Amino acid sequence: GMHRVYNSAFMNMLRDEENLKYRSVLKNTLEFDPDIMKRYVNFMSNPDERTAIDQFGKGDKCFGVSVLMATLPGLPMFGHGQIEGFTEKYGMEYQRPRYEENPDFWLVERHEREIAPLLKRRWLFAESSNFLLYDFYEPSGSVDENIFAYSNRNGTQAALVVYNNRYGSAHGTIDSSAAYADKSSAQLSRRRLAEGLGMDWA
C-alpha cells in the first residue's frame, strides 16, 4: 500500500489561521513532488489533541476546514465524535465513554448536507496529477493569503474550491496556478484556470 503522511500542519495552521504558512507548505510540496499530496492524511483532531469541536467550533470555520479536508488530495480522516459534536477527548485506554453525550442533530444534518456529498466524490479530489493551487489576487494586485483556491479534474469532471479561512469578506481574481513539478518535462510548470478545469477554449 501507499505510505501515508499524517499531516498535522493541516490541523494546526488552519486552526490558528496561519494561512500564508499552510499555503507555503502546499506550494513547496507541489514544487518538490505533487504526488506527495495524495499521501497526506488530513485531519482536524487526533486522540492526543483536543477534540475537533473544541478546536474548530460548530460553525462556519468547522465546515470550511471540513470542505478542505474533503476536497484536498490525500485521505480525509474524521475524528471520533467529530460529526456528532462530541466534546469528550477520545483515549485508547478508555473502555467506555465517561460523558453522557447525545449527537447534535443540527451538526449531523449539516455534515450530511454539505460534507457527505463531497466525500462521495472523492474520486474527483483524491488524486494529485491534475491538482492545481491558485493565488487569489486582490484588485490592488497583492495576493490574499487567506484564500485557499484550487482545482482538480478527473476525466470530464472538474471542480474548483475557493475558501476564505478568515472571518471577513474578500474579492479578487484567480487565473495562473502556482508552480508544480512537471515530471514529463522535469521542470516547474504552471497552468491557467481554464486549462485546469479542462475548458477547451483556454
Side-chain angles (χ1 to χ4, degrees):
M2 189 190 307
H3 175 63
R4 293 287 182 184
V5 179
Y6 286 85
N7 185 12
S8 59
F10 176 90
M11 169 180 65
N12 296 330
M13 292 181 187
L14 292 174
R15 178 194 63 209
D16 299 339
E17 295 186 355
E18 293 177 332
N19 300 317
L20 169 61
K21 272 171 113 171
Y22 191 61
R23 279 176 27 83
S24 295
V25 168
L26 294 177
K27 286 182 176 183
N28 290 339
T29 303
L30 291 168
E31 288 182 14
F32 179 71
D33 182 356
D35 281 348
I36 292 172
M37 294 283 298
K38 66 183 181 185
R39 289 166 45 190
Y40 280 143
V41 179
N42 297 319
F43 54 92
M44 290 165 66
S45 69
N46 64 42
D48 301 321
E49 297 270 347
R50 290 151 46 213
T51 62
I53 294 303
D54 191 16
Q55 296 187 69
F56 291 90
K58 294 184 176 184
D60 290 342
K61 166 75 75 179
C62 165
F63 282 90
V65 176
S66 292
V67 166
L68 295 188
M69 199 165 76
T71 58
L72 280 168
L75 181 69
M77 186 172 74
F78 286 82
H80 171 78
Q82 181 173 333
I83 291 169
E84 297 88 349
F86 290 168
T87 58
E88 181 175 10
K89 189 175 157 188
Y90 178 70
M92 302 298 279
E93 71 280 9
Y94 294 4
Q95 290 186 320
R96 64 187 64 84
R98 299 179 180 181
Y99 300 168
E100 186 68 47
E101 293 190 277
N102 295 310
D104 182 327
F105 290 111
W106 176 87
L107 195 68
V108 172
E109 191 275 331
R110 189 173 175 188
H111 273 96
E112 287 175 351
R113 189 175 70 247
E114 297 180 15
I115 306 303
L118 297 173
L119 294 172
K120 288 176 182 172
R121 295 172 71 85
R122 284 298 298 164
W123 52 267
L124 176 55
F125 301 114
E127 294 295 320
S128 54
S129 53
N130 290 316
F131 176 84
L132 294 172
L133 180 72
Y134 303 92
D135 284 332
F136 184 94
Y137 284 94
E138 299 171 332
S140 66
S142 60
V143 173
D144 187 338
E145 296 288 355
N146 298 310
I147 308 292
F148 290 83
Y150 52 89
S151 65
N152 212 334
R153 194 160 46 87
N154 190 330
T156 59
Q157 299 288 307
L160 174 66
V161 176
V162 183
Y163 168 58
N164 182 3
N165 192 43
R166 175 72 45 96
Y167 183 76
S169 61
H171 62 280
T173 58
I174 57 176
D175 184 11
S176 182
S177 79
Y180 64 93
D182 185 346
K183 292 180 178 176
S184 62
S185 63
Q187 61 187 20
L188 292 179
S189 295
R190 296 177 187 270
R191 277 186 272 175
R192 305 281 297 277
L193 174 61
E195 190 184 352
L197 296 176
M199 296 176 175
D200 52 16
W201 46 262

